[in-house]
PDB file of all heavy atoms in Angstrom:
ATOM      1  N   VAL A 121      24.099   5.272  22.753  1.00 98.00           N
ATOM      2  CA  VAL A 121      25.527   5.416  22.920  1.00 98.00           C
ATOM      3  C   VAL A 121      25.946   6.736  22.199  1.00 98.00           C
ATOM      4  O   VAL A 121      25.627   6.882  20.974  1.00 98.00           O
ATOM      5  CB  VAL A 121      26.320   4.257  22.247  1.00 98.00           C
ATOM      6  CG1 VAL A 121      27.860   4.475  22.468  1.00 98.00           C
ATOM      7  CG2 VAL A 121      25.866   2.967  22.890  1.00 98.00           C
ATOM      8  N   ALA A 122      26.607   7.660  22.954  1.00 97.00           N
ATOM      9  CA  ALA A 122      27.103   8.843  22.384  1.00 97.00           C
ATOM     10  C   ALA A 122      28.563   8.589  21.971  1.00 97.00           C
ATOM     11  O   ALA A 122      29.349   8.067  22.740  1.00 97.00           O
ATOM     12  CB  ALA A 122      27.034   9.990  23.434  1.00 97.00           C
ATOM     13  N   VAL A 123      28.905   9.003  20.718  1.00 97.00           N
ATOM     14  CA  VAL A 123      30.218   8.681  20.144  1.00 97.00           C
ATOM     15  C   VAL A 123      30.736   9.956  19.448  1.00 97.00           C
ATOM     16  O   VAL A 123      30.000  10.676  18.791  1.00 97.00           O
ATOM     17  CB  VAL A 123      30.131   7.545  19.094  1.00 97.00           C
ATOM     18  CG1 VAL A 123      31.362   7.426  18.292  1.00 97.00           C
ATOM     19  CG2 VAL A 123      29.708   6.221  19.714  1.00 97.00           C
ATOM     20  N   GLU A 124      31.995  10.230  19.697  1.00 95.00           N
ATOM     21  CA  GLU A 124      32.757  11.193  18.899  1.00 95.00           C
ATOM     22  C   GLU A 124      33.728  10.440  18.055  1.00 95.00           C
ATOM     23  O   GLU A 124      34.537   9.668  18.488  1.00 95.00           O
ATOM     24  CB  GLU A 124      33.516  12.185  19.719  1.00 95.00           C
ATOM     25  CG  GLU A 124      34.284  13.181  18.904  1.00 95.00           C
ATOM     26  CD  GLU A 124      35.099  14.165  19.679  1.00 95.00           C
ATOM     27  OE1 GLU A 124      35.316  13.913  20.944  1.00 95.00           O
ATOM     28  OE2 GLU A 124      35.586  15.118  19.092  1.00 95.00           O
ATOM     29  N   TRP A 125      33.584  10.616  16.744  1.00 93.00           N
ATOM     30  CA  TRP A 125      34.459   9.943  15.791  1.00 93.00           C
ATOM     31  C   TRP A 125      35.717  10.743  15.686  1.00 93.00           C
ATOM     32  O   TRP A 125      35.752  11.977  15.459  1.00 93.00           O
ATOM     33  CB  TRP A 125      33.812   9.753  14.413  1.00 93.00           C
ATOM     34  CG  TRP A 125      32.800   8.703  14.440  1.00 93.00           C
ATOM     35  CD1 TRP A 125      31.439   8.854  14.517  1.00 93.00           C
ATOM     36  CD2 TRP A 125      33.075   7.277  14.291  1.00 93.00           C
ATOM     37  NE1 TRP A 125      30.863   7.583  14.495  1.00 93.00           N
ATOM     38  CE2 TRP A 125      31.769   6.626  14.332  1.00 93.00           C
ATOM     39  CE3 TRP A 125      34.222   6.530  14.182  1.00 93.00           C
ATOM     40  CZ2 TRP A 125      31.651   5.227  14.279  1.00 93.00           C
ATOM     41  CZ3 TRP A 125      34.102   5.146  14.128  1.00 93.00           C
ATOM     42  CH2 TRP A 125      32.820   4.490  14.128  1.00 93.00           C
ATOM     43  N   GLU A 126      36.875  10.092  15.759  1.00 92.00           N
ATOM     44  CA  GLU A 126      38.206  10.596  15.549  1.00 92.00           C
ATOM     45  C   GLU A 126      38.804   9.949  14.356  1.00 92.00           C
ATOM     46  O   GLU A 126      38.701   8.734  14.215  1.00 92.00           O
ATOM     47  CB  GLU A 126      39.066  10.377  16.813  1.00 92.00           C
ATOM     48  CG  GLU A 126      38.487  10.960  18.106  1.00 92.00           C
ATOM     49  CD  GLU A 126      39.201  10.506  19.359  1.00 92.00           C
ATOM     50  OE1 GLU A 126      39.736   9.350  19.316  1.00 92.00           O
ATOM     51  OE2 GLU A 126      39.190  11.246  20.324  1.00 92.00           O
ATOM     52  N   PHE A 127      39.377  10.768  13.494  1.00 87.00           N
ATOM     53  CA  PHE A 127      39.903  10.231  12.167  1.00 87.00           C
ATOM     54  C   PHE A 127      41.413  10.395  12.220  1.00 87.00           C
ATOM     55  O   PHE A 127      41.978  11.282  12.862  1.00 87.00           O
ATOM     56  CB  PHE A 127      39.301  10.891  11.032  1.00 87.00           C
ATOM     57  CG  PHE A 127      37.817  10.658  10.897  1.00 87.00           C
ATOM     58  CD1 PHE A 127      36.865  11.601  11.358  1.00 87.00           C
ATOM     59  CD2 PHE A 127      37.393   9.418  10.379  1.00 87.00           C
ATOM     60  CE1 PHE A 127      35.572  11.315  11.203  1.00 87.00           C
ATOM     61  CE2 PHE A 127      35.999   9.178  10.316  1.00 87.00           C
ATOM     62  CZ  PHE A 127      35.069  10.117  10.716  1.00 87.00           C
ATOM     63  N   LEU A 128      42.136   9.544  11.444  1.00 86.00           N
ATOM     64  CA  LEU A 128      43.531   9.624  11.163  1.00 86.00           C
ATOM     65  C   LEU A 128      43.716   9.764   9.699  1.00 86.00           C
ATOM     66  O   LEU A 128      43.145   9.047   8.937  1.00 86.00           O
ATOM     67  CB  LEU A 128      44.185   8.410  11.676  1.00 86.00           C
ATOM     68  CG  LEU A 128      45.754   8.367  11.694  1.00 86.00           C
ATOM     69  CD1 LEU A 128      46.232   9.400  12.734  1.00 86.00           C
ATOM     70  CD2 LEU A 128      46.241   6.967  12.126  1.00 86.00           C
TER      71      LEU A 128
END
Side-chain angles (χ1 to χ4, degrees):
V121 181
V123 168
E124 178 183 13
W125 285 99
E126 301 168 331
F127 296 99
L128 189 65

